[in-house]
Amino acid sequence: MPIDDTRTFLPVRIAVLTVSDTRGLAEDRSGDTLVALLSEAGHVLADRLILRDDAEAIVAQLHRWIDDAAIDCIITTGGTGVTGRDVTPEAVERVADKMIPGFGELFRWLSYQTIGTSTVQSRACACVARGTYIFALPGSTGAVKDAWNGILSTQLDSRHRPCNFVELMPRLLER
């Protein structure tokens, strides 16, 4: 996955949402990991919140960030499992214009190499919503690292060849 150093790096403004019934900011290791990774890559942390596993609250926050011109991308961590309280994928689907099915497929393939068949419990997903990318990751630090290092670090890098999500941003709202 080559990076073309002749191209300009364009920082992406990313909002991070941790979905958890049990964690506060002090215990949010997956959110901390994600913030560190995106910052080290040169991106901008546009906002960060923690919300409970409540689909209505998640949808409302996603809409606020989607409507904020200062945010290009939203990454959530948590709430992607199969228990009754895990509602992040449903919330993402409610705001989506277009799902990006390959993201979840690739994430689970990468995760399989780390945690084996346990990856089938992940419903990681991604979409485009009114010109904003949304990526929903599981709530473990390992999952955040797998998703960032294996997918997002290159797809959110404007220099990545042969293509990347950043170069599509100006055309996401075209009809």
Side-chain angles (χ1 to χ4, degrees), residues 86-131:
D86 293 319
V87 296
T88 304
E90 288 78 11
V92 169
E93 288 172 9
R94 285 175 52 187
V95 302
D97 295 323
K98 292 185 179 185
M99 295 304 293
I100 307 172
F103 176 82
E105 296 162 358
L106 180 55
F107 171 79
R108 282 179 284 281
W109 178 79
L110 291 167
S111 180
Y112 178 78
Q113 298 171 46
T114 306
I115 64 169
T117 60
S118 295
T119 193
V120 301
Q121 295 181 27
S122 166
R123 297 183 303 135
C125 62
C127 75
V128 176
R130 298 191 312 276

Short mmCIF file of all heavy atoms in Angstrom, two decimals, residues 86-131:
data_model
loop_
_atom_site.label_atom_id
_atom_site.label_comp_id
_atom_site.label_asym_id
_atom_site.label_seq_id
_atom_site.Cartn_x
_atom_site.Cartn_y
_atom_site.Cartn_z
N ASP A 86 -26.02 -3.53 22.40
CA ASP A 86 -25.15 -3.10 21.29
C ASP A 86 -25.99 -2.57 20.14
O ASP A 86 -26.62 -3.34 19.41
CB ASP A 86 -24.27 -4.26 20.83
CG ASP A 86 -23.25 -4.69 21.87
OD1 ASP A 86 -22.66 -3.80 22.51
OD2 ASP A 86 -23.04 -5.90 22.02
N VAL A 87 -26.00 -1.24 19.97
CA VAL A 87 -26.89 -0.61 18.99
C VAL A 87 -26.17 0.33 18.02
O VAL A 87 -26.82 1.01 17.23
CB VAL A 87 -28.05 0.14 19.68
CG1 VAL A 87 -28.94 -0.83 20.45
CG2 VAL A 87 -27.52 1.23 20.60
N THR A 88 -24.85 0.39 18.08
CA THR A 88 -24.13 1.34 17.23
C THR A 88 -24.36 1.09 15.74
O THR A 88 -24.64 2.04 15.00
CB THR A 88 -22.63 1.37 17.58
OG1 THR A 88 -22.48 1.66 18.97
CG2 THR A 88 -21.90 2.41 16.76
N PRO A 89 -24.27 -0.15 15.23
CA PRO A 89 -24.52 -0.35 13.79
C PRO A 89 -25.92 0.09 13.37
O PRO A 89 -26.10 0.66 12.28
CB PRO A 89 -24.32 -1.85 13.59
CG PRO A 89 -23.38 -2.24 14.68
CD PRO A 89 -23.80 -1.39 15.86
N GLU A 90 -26.91 -0.16 14.21
CA GLU A 90 -28.27 0.27 13.88
C GLU A 90 -28.36 1.80 13.81
O GLU A 90 -29.02 2.35 12.92
CB GLU A 90 -29.28 -0.27 14.91
CG GLU A 90 -29.51 -1.76 14.81
CD GLU A 90 -28.42 -2.63 15.42
OE1 GLU A 90 -27.52 -2.10 16.13
OE2 GLU A 90 -28.44 -3.84 15.19
N ALA A 91 -27.68 2.48 14.73
CA ALA A 91 -27.65 3.94 14.70
C ALA A 91 -26.96 4.45 13.45
O ALA A 91 -27.44 5.39 12.79
CB ALA A 91 -26.96 4.48 15.96
N VAL A 92 -25.85 3.84 13.09
CA VAL A 92 -25.12 4.24 11.87
C VAL A 92 -26.00 4.04 10.64
O VAL A 92 -26.09 4.92 9.77
CB VAL A 92 -23.79 3.46 11.75
CG1 VAL A 92 -23.17 3.65 10.38
CG2 VAL A 92 -22.82 3.89 12.85
N GLU A 93 -26.68 2.92 10.56
CA GLU A 93 -27.55 2.65 9.41
C GLU A 93 -28.67 3.68 9.30
O GLU A 93 -29.09 4.03 8.20
CB GLU A 93 -28.12 1.24 9.50
CG GLU A 93 -27.08 0.17 9.23
CD GLU A 93 -27.58 -1.24 9.49
OE1 GLU A 93 -28.80 -1.44 9.72
OE2 GLU A 93 -26.72 -2.15 9.47
N ARG A 94 -29.15 4.19 10.43
CA ARG A 94 -30.24 5.17 10.41
C ARG A 94 -29.82 6.51 9.81
O ARG A 94 -30.67 7.24 9.30
CB ARG A 94 -30.80 5.36 11.81
CG ARG A 94 -31.67 4.18 12.24
CD ARG A 94 -32.16 4.27 13.65
NE ARG A 94 -32.83 5.53 13.98
CZ ARG A 94 -33.21 5.84 15.21
NH1 ARG A 94 -32.99 4.99 16.22
NH2 ARG A 94 -33.79 6.99 15.46
N VAL A 95 -28.54 6.85 9.89
CA VAL A 95 -28.09 8.13 9.33
C VAL A 95 -27.43 7.97 7.96
O VAL A 95 -27.18 8.96 7.28
CB VAL A 95 -27.11 8.86 10.29
CG1 VAL A 95 -27.77 9.10 11.64
CG2 VAL A 95 -25.80 8.12 10.44
N ALA A 96 -27.17 6.76 7.53
CA ALA A 96 -26.39 6.49 6.32
C ALA A 96 -27.13 6.84 5.04
O ALA A 96 -28.32 6.59 4.90
CB ALA A 96 -26.00 5.02 6.28
N ASP A 97 -26.37 7.40 4.10
CA ASP A 97 -26.83 7.53 2.72
C ASP A 97 -26.36 6.31 1.93
O ASP A 97 -27.10 5.78 1.12
CB ASP A 97 -26.27 8.80 2.07
CG ASP A 97 -26.79 10.06 2.71
OD1 ASP A 97 -27.99 10.09 3.12
OD2 ASP A 97 -26.02 11.02 2.84
N LYS A 98 -25.11 5.93 2.16
CA LYS A 98 -24.52 4.77 1.49
C LYS A 98 -23.67 4.01 2.48
O LYS A 98 -22.78 4.57 3.11
CB LYS A 98 -23.63 5.20 0.31
CG LYS A 98 -24.38 5.81 -0.83
CD LYS A 98 -23.47 6.09 -2.00
CE LYS A 98 -24.31 6.67 -3.12
NZ LYS A 98 -23.54 6.87 -4.33
N MET A 99 -23.93 2.73 2.59
CA MET A 99 -23.08 1.87 3.43
C MET A 99 -21.80 1.55 2.65
O MET A 99 -21.79 1.58 1.42
CB MET A 99 -23.82 0.59 3.80
CG MET A 99 -25.05 0.80 4.69
SD MET A 99 -24.73 1.69 6.24
CE MET A 99 -23.72 0.50 7.14
N ILE A 100 -20.74 1.26 3.38
CA ILE A 100 -19.46 0.85 2.78
C ILE A 100 -19.20 -0.57 3.29
O ILE A 100 -18.46 -0.78 4.25
CB ILE A 100 -18.32 1.81 3.18
CG1 ILE A 100 -18.68 3.26 2.87
CG2 ILE A 100 -17.01 1.40 2.48
CD1 ILE A 100 -17.69 4.28 3.42
N PRO A 101 -19.82 -1.59 2.67
CA PRO A 101 -19.74 -2.95 3.21
C PRO A 101 -18.32 -3.51 3.27
O PRO A 101 -18.01 -4.31 4.16
CB PRO A 101 -20.63 -3.78 2.29
CG PRO A 101 -20.99 -2.92 1.15
CD PRO A 101 -20.66 -1.51 1.50
N GLY A 102 -17.47 -3.11 2.35
CA GLY A 102 -16.10 -3.63 2.34
C GLY A 102 -15.33 -3.31 3.60
O GLY A 102 -14.41 -4.05 3.97
N PHE A 103 -15.69 -2.22 4.29
CA PHE A 103 -14.97 -1.87 5.52
C PHE A 103 -15.14 -2.96 6.57
O PHE A 103 -14.17 -3.45 7.14
CB PHE A 103 -15.44 -0.53 6.07
CG PHE A 103 -14.79 -0.20 7.39
CD1 PHE A 103 -13.52 0.34 7.42
CD2 PHE A 103 -15.42 -0.48 8.59
CE1 PHE A 103 -12.89 0.61 8.64
CE2 PHE A 103 -14.82 -0.22 9.80
CZ PHE A 103 -13.54 0.33 9.82
N GLY A 104 -16.37 -3.35 6.85
CA GLY A 104 -16.62 -4.38 7.85
C GLY A 104 -16.02 -5.71 7.45
O GLY A 104 -15.47 -6.44 8.30
N GLU A 105 -16.13 -6.04 6.17
CA GLU A 105 -15.56 -7.30 5.69
C GLU A 105 -14.04 -7.32 5.89
O GLU A 105 -13.49 -8.31 6.39
CB GLU A 105 -15.90 -7.48 4.21
CG GLU A 105 -17.38 -7.63 3.95
CD GLU A 105 -17.77 -7.38 2.51
OE1 GLU A 105 -16.89 -7.05 1.68
OE2 GLU A 105 -18.97 -7.51 2.20
N LEU A 106 -13.38 -6.24 5.48
CA LEU A 106 -11.93 -6.17 5.62
C LEU A 106 -11.52 -6.13 7.10
O LEU A 106 -10.56 -6.79 7.50
CB LEU A 106 -11.36 -4.96 4.88
CG LEU A 106 -9.85 -4.77 4.93
CD1 LEU A 106 -9.11 -6.01 4.45
CD2 LEU A 106 -9.45 -3.54 4.11
N PHE A 107 -12.27 -5.39 7.91
CA PHE A 107 -11.96 -5.35 9.33
C PHE A 107 -12.00 -6.76 9.93
O PHE A 107 -11.10 -7.16 10.66
CB PHE A 107 -12.91 -4.43 10.11
CG PHE A 107 -12.72 -4.57 11.58
CD1 PHE A 107 -11.67 -3.94 12.21
CD2 PHE A 107 -13.53 -5.42 12.33
CE1 PHE A 107 -11.44 -4.12 13.57
CE2 PHE A 107 -13.31 -5.61 13.68
CZ PHE A 107 -12.26 -4.96 14.30
N ARG A 108 -13.06 -7.51 9.65
CA ARG A 108 -13.17 -8.86 10.22
C ARG A 108 -12.08 -9.79 9.70
O ARG A 108 -11.57 -10.62 10.44
CB ARG A 108 -14.57 -9.42 9.99
CG ARG A 108 -15.58 -8.82 10.96
CD ARG A 108 -16.98 -9.33 10.76
NE ARG A 108 -17.63 -8.74 9.59
CZ ARG A 108 -18.17 -7.53 9.58
NH1 ARG A 108 -18.16 -6.77 10.65
NH2 ARG A 108 -18.72 -7.07 8.49
N TRP A 109 -11.66 -9.61 8.47
CA TRP A 109 -10.56 -10.41 7.93
C TRP A 109 -9.26 -10.10 8.69
O TRP A 109 -8.53 -11.00 9.09
CB TRP A 109 -10.40 -10.15 6.43
CG TRP A 109 -9.27 -10.90 5.81
CD1 TRP A 109 -9.25 -12.21 5.44
CD2 TRP A 109 -7.98 -10.37 5.49
NE1 TRP A 109 -8.02 -12.54 4.91
CE2 TRP A 109 -7.22 -11.41 4.92
CE3 TRP A 109 -7.40 -9.11 5.62
CZ2 TRP A 109 -5.91 -11.24 4.50
CZ3 TRP A 109 -6.09 -8.94 5.18
CH2 TRP A 109 -5.38 -10.01 4.64
N LEU A 110 -9.00 -8.81 8.91
CA LEU A 110 -7.80 -8.41 9.66
C LEU A 110 -7.89 -8.89 11.11
O LEU A 110 -6.92 -9.41 11.67
CB LEU A 110 -7.64 -6.89 9.64
CG LEU A 110 -7.27 -6.26 8.31
CD1 LEU A 110 -7.47 -4.76 8.37
CD2 LEU A 110 -5.85 -6.62 7.93
N SER A 111 -9.05 -8.72 11.71
CA SER A 111 -9.26 -9.11 13.10
C SER A 111 -9.13 -10.62 13.28
O SER A 111 -8.63 -11.08 14.31
CB SER A 111 -10.64 -8.63 13.55
OG SER A 111 -10.88 -8.98 14.88
N TYR A 112 -9.53 -11.38 12.30
CA TYR A 112 -9.42 -12.84 12.36
C TYR A 112 -7.96 -13.26 12.59
O TYR A 112 -7.69 -14.20 13.32
CB TYR A 112 -9.96 -13.47 11.08
CG TYR A 112 -9.82 -14.97 11.04
CD1 TYR A 112 -10.72 -15.77 11.75
CD2 TYR A 112 -8.81 -15.58 10.33
CE1 TYR A 112 -10.61 -17.15 11.73
CE2 TYR A 112 -8.68 -16.96 10.31
CZ TYR A 112 -9.58 -17.74 11.02
OH TYR A 112 -9.45 -19.11 11.00
N GLN A 113 -7.04 -12.51 11.99
CA GLN A 113 -5.62 -12.81 12.13
C GLN A 113 -5.14 -12.56 13.56
O GLN A 113 -4.12 -13.11 13.97
CB GLN A 113 -4.82 -12.00 11.12
CG GLN A 113 -5.18 -12.34 9.69
CD GLN A 113 -4.55 -11.40 8.69
OE1 GLN A 113 -3.37 -11.10 8.80
NE2 GLN A 113 -5.31 -10.92 7.73
N THR A 114 -5.86 -11.76 14.31
CA THR A 114 -5.49 -11.43 15.69
C THR A 114 -6.26 -12.26 16.71
O THR A 114 -5.66 -12.80 17.65
CB THR A 114 -5.75 -9.93 15.96
OG1 THR A 114 -5.07 -9.15 14.98
CG2 THR A 114 -5.27 -9.53 17.34
N ILE A 115 -7.59 -12.36 16.53
CA ILE A 115 -8.42 -13.00 17.56
C ILE A 115 -9.16 -14.24 17.05
O ILE A 115 -10.01 -14.78 17.76
CB ILE A 115 -9.41 -12.01 18.19
CG1 ILE A 115 -10.43 -11.49 17.16
CG2 ILE A 115 -8.67 -10.87 18.88
CD1 ILE A 115 -11.58 -10.71 17.79
N GLY A 116 -8.88 -14.67 15.85
CA GLY A 116 -9.50 -15.88 15.32
C GLY A 116 -10.99 -15.73 15.12
O GLY A 116 -11.49 -14.65 14.78
N THR A 117 -11.71 -16.80 15.36
CA THR A 117 -13.14 -16.82 15.05
C THR A 117 -13.96 -15.88 15.93
O THR A 117 -15.12 -15.59 15.60
CB THR A 117 -13.71 -18.25 15.17
OG1 THR A 117 -13.50 -18.71 16.51
CG2 THR A 117 -13.05 -19.18 14.18
N SER A 118 -13.41 -15.36 16.99
CA SER A 118 -14.15 -14.40 17.83
C SER A 118 -14.54 -13.16 17.04
O SER A 118 -15.46 -12.43 17.44
CB SER A 118 -13.33 -14.01 19.05
OG SER A 118 -13.15 -15.13 19.89
N THR A 119 -13.88 -12.92 15.91
CA THR A 119 -14.20 -11.75 15.10
C THR A 119 -15.63 -11.77 14.56
O THR A 119 -16.17 -10.73 14.22
CB THR A 119 -13.18 -11.57 13.95
OG1 THR A 119 -13.34 -10.28 13.39
CG2 THR A 119 -13.38 -12.62 12.86
N VAL A 120 -16.26 -12.96 14.49
CA VAL A 120 -17.64 -13.00 13.98
C VAL A 120 -18.60 -12.26 14.90
O VAL A 120 -19.71 -11.94 14.49
CB VAL A 120 -18.14 -14.45 13.73
CG1 VAL A 120 -17.28 -15.16 12.73
CG2 VAL A 120 -18.27 -15.22 15.01
N GLN A 121 -18.20 -11.97 16.13
CA GLN A 121 -19.06 -11.23 17.05
C GLN A 121 -19.04 -9.73 16.78
O GLN A 121 -19.80 -8.98 17.40
CB GLN A 121 -18.65 -11.52 18.49
CG GLN A 121 -18.86 -12.96 18.88
CD GLN A 121 -18.47 -13.22 20.32
OE1 GLN A 121 -18.52 -12.32 21.16
NE2 GLN A 121 -18.08 -14.44 20.61
N SER A 122 -18.19 -9.28 15.87
CA SER A 122 -18.09 -7.85 15.55
C SER A 122 -19.01 -7.49 14.40
O SER A 122 -19.03 -8.15 13.37
CB SER A 122 -16.66 -7.50 15.16
OG SER A 122 -16.65 -6.23 14.56
N ARG A 123 -19.72 -6.39 14.60
CA ARG A 123 -20.54 -5.85 13.52
C ARG A 123 -19.99 -4.49 13.08
O ARG A 123 -20.73 -3.56 12.78
CB ARG A 123 -22.00 -5.74 13.97
CG ARG A 123 -22.61 -7.10 14.29
CD ARG A 123 -24.07 -7.02 14.67
NE ARG A 123 -24.30 -6.13 15.79
CZ ARG A 123 -25.28 -5.22 15.85
NH1 ARG A 123 -26.13 -5.07 14.85
NH2 ARG A 123 -25.41 -4.45 16.92
N ALA A 124 -18.66 -4.39 13.04
CA ALA A 124 -18.02 -3.16 12.57
C ALA A 124 -18.60 -2.80 11.20
O ALA A 124 -18.85 -3.68 10.37
CB ALA A 124 -16.51 -3.35 12.47
N CYS A 125 -18.80 -1.51 10.98
CA CYS A 125 -19.41 -1.08 9.73
C CYS A 125 -18.97 0.34 9.40
O CYS A 125 -18.33 1.01 10.22
CB CYS A 125 -20.94 -1.16 9.82
SG CYS A 125 -21.68 -0.10 11.08
N ALA A 126 -19.33 0.79 8.20
CA ALA A 126 -18.98 2.14 7.78
C ALA A 126 -20.00 2.64 6.77
O ALA A 126 -20.69 1.85 6.11
CB ALA A 126 -17.58 2.16 7.15
N CYS A 127 -20.08 3.96 6.68
CA CYS A 127 -21.01 4.56 5.71
C CYS A 127 -20.55 5.97 5.36
O CYS A 127 -19.61 6.51 5.95
CB CYS A 127 -22.42 4.61 6.30
SG CYS A 127 -22.68 5.88 7.56
N VAL A 128 -21.27 6.54 4.40
CA VAL A 128 -21.19 7.96 4.10
C VAL A 128 -22.56 8.53 4.44
O VAL A 128 -23.59 7.96 4.05
CB VAL A 128 -20.86 8.23 2.62
CG1 VAL A 128 -20.88 9.72 2.33
CG2 VAL A 128 -19.53 7.63 2.24
N ALA A 129 -22.58 9.63 5.18
CA ALA A 129 -23.83 10.28 5.57
C ALA A 129 -23.71 11.77 5.28
O ALA A 129 -22.91 12.46 5.93
CB ALA A 129 -24.12 10.04 7.05
N ARG A 130 -24.42 12.24 4.29
CA ARG A 130 -24.42 13.66 3.90
C ARG A 130 -23.00 14.22 3.80
O ARG A 130 -22.71 15.30 4.30
CB ARG A 130 -25.30 14.47 4.85
CG ARG A 130 -26.76 14.03 4.81
CD ARG A 130 -27.73 14.94 5.52
NE ARG A 130 -27.40 15.38 6.85
CZ ARG A 130 -27.63 14.67 7.98
NH1 ARG A 130 -28.18 13.48 7.91
NH2 ARG A 130 -27.32 15.18 9.15
N GLY A 131 -22.13 13.47 3.16
CA GLY A 131 -20.77 13.93 2.91
C GLY A 131 -19.77 13.66 4.01
O GLY A 131 -18.62 14.06 3.90
#
